[in-house]
Amino acid sequence: MELRQQLIKDIELLPESVLQAFTLIAREHIALYKKPSVEINNKCRAVYGSGKGMMWIAEDFNAPLDELREYME
């Protein structure tokens, strides 16, 4: 609690112009923080199969790894 009281005293000693700037920055920060970060758009929905051909799985995907051979014996 002592640190908080010291911080309040230090803030009170700041010039008025610095306090006004700090207040504006704090208000902007709070306003940005309260805005939703993602807006839901019902028009933009994934279409089944739209990613076809964009990914592939290697032929040896299920093959044993050489690094783990000693644990598999």
Side-chain angles (χ1 to χ4, degrees), residues 46-66:
V47 177
Y48 182 76
S50 63
K52 186 176 182 178
M54 295 177 70
M55 296 177 268
W56 60 275
I57 297 177
E59 295 289 329
D60 64 345
F61 179 77
N62 287 327
L65 297 173
D66 290 333

Side-chain angles (χ1 to χ4, degrees), residues 26-46:
R27 284 182 186 159
E28 288 296 317
H29 176 72
I30 290 169
L32 289 173
Y33 187 72
K34 288 184 176 183
K35 288 182 182 176
S37 59
V38 177
E39 293 182 15
I40 298 173
N41 185 352
N42 292 331
K43 295 179 183 177
C44 182
R45 296 223 172 189

